[in-house]
Amino acid sequence: MTQSSAAIAPSLLTADFARLGEEAQAMEAAGADRIHWDVMDGSFVPNLTIGPDVVAAARKHTALPFEVHLMVSDPNVLLSRWVDAGCERIIVHAESPGCTHLHRVLGAIAELGARAGLALNPGTPLSAAEPVLDLLDLLLVMTVNPGFGGQAYIKTMEAKTAAAAAMIAGSGRTVELEVDGGIAPATVAGAVVAGARVLVVGSALYRHTDGIPAAISELHGLINAALGAPVAPALSTN
Ligand code: DX5
Ligand code: ZN
């Protein structure tokens, strides 16, 4: 199983929603680093997915860390329920109407003992993150418009990712830089060269002809190659 300096965070948006616990367990067995839960309320995005009770039910099936990506109009409503459900990282959208007081929302996440993440849609400037960078443990650059899996990667987001990496480096803070949407063997190199070190991957894992473990290994191999990292020697066959 190939590893790299980046983390693979499978999105279960493309998974079998009748078996999310087993799906999360399978991701752990396949070498994933964390589970990325895509929460949608049918208002902030034109799609509706899961609530905290579903995440809490899946919690018993895997030891992987959980992060929750709140594509909802008002993340304040259920904020503590995600922590109770076993999520270590809570990612809110700068564009959510409930994040008008974004500084307060991020502070509330920290007060709950969770790590605070901020997601920026493709049309939102990086400058939206700058005033609250000191409250962030994670910055998510969306590489698709949120709402659905299987969309095309927006390559112009690599410039924004690189600018985010520079902003984080200049801050001297430890902030995870994550990208989400359209990450696949054909796009992962551009994202990591731009500076992303947490890759949300959904449909590309389920599409892979050799299965999810092979998909994760292939992505790590491509990340190593893109970063010029030594590729783990193939196991000797003799
Ligand atoms: C989109 C979600 C993403 C997406 C990733 O709104 O935030 O997590 O489902 O899925 P793929 O990898 O299929 O683009
Ligand atoms: Zn997501």
Side-chain angles (χ1 to χ4, degrees):
M1 195 177 288
T2 307
Q3 290 296 316
S4 76
S5 57
I8 301 289
S11 156
L12 297 186
L13 193 58
T14 314
D16 176 353
F17 271 42
R19 299 174 52 254
L20 287 174
E22 295 100 296
E23 295 268 26
Q25 201 168 49
M27 288 300 178
E28 180 174 6
D33 297 287
R34 65 181 78 164
I35 298 292
H36 177 91
W37 294 100
D38 283 313
V39 173
M40 304 177 187
D41 65 357
S43 168
F44 181 69
V45 291
N47 198 355
L48 183 61
T49 57
I50 57 171
D53 290 343
V54 174
V55 174
R59 182 68 279 174
K60 300 187 274 294
H61 292 265
T62 173
L64 282 182
F66 283 179
E67 65 179 35
V68 62
H69 176 192
L70 297 177
M71 291 164 273
V72 300
S73 288
D74 188 357
N76 302 291
V77 175
L78 295 171
L79 208 54
S80 63
R81 295 280 308 282
W82 300 110
V83 177
D84 298 343
C87 297
E88 290 184 6
R89 296 174 176 84
I90 300 180
I91 305 167
V92 296
H93 266 266
E95 307 86 1
S96 293
C99 286
T100 302
H101 303 293
L102 177 59
H103 190 279
R104 180 179 291 143
V105 175
L106 295 170
I109 293 170
E111 278 168 31
L112 289 168
R115 295 182 203 174
L118 179 63
L120 302 177
N121 282 337
T124 302
L126 178 63
S127 57
E130 198 274 326
V132 294
L133 191 59
D134 62 313
L135 298 179
L136 296 186
D137 300 296
L138 183 151
L139 179 59
L140 170 53
V141 175
M142 289 301 293
T143 43
V144 295
N145 288 293
F148 300 91
Q151 300 179 85
Y153 175 76
I154 303 173
K155 192 163 179 60
T156 53
M157 290 298 111
E158 289 176 5
K160 186 175 177 183
T161 305
M167 180 176 73
I168 292 166
S171 74
R173 282 180 52 79
T174 302
V175 180
E176 292 181 306
L177 183 49
E178 179 169 316
V179 291
D180 181 1
I183 301 299
T187 58
V188 69
V192 291
V193 166
R197 290 297 179 270
V198 183
L199 291 310
V200 177
V201 193
S203 51
L205 297 180
Y206 289 93
R207 260 198 322 260
H208 200 284
T209 47
D210 297 333
I212 292 175
I216 291 177
S217 274
E218 181 183 4
L219 289 168
H220 279 306
L222 291 167
I223 291 163
N224 285 329
L227 297 178
V231 178
L235 293 175
S236 63
T237 51
N238 49 29

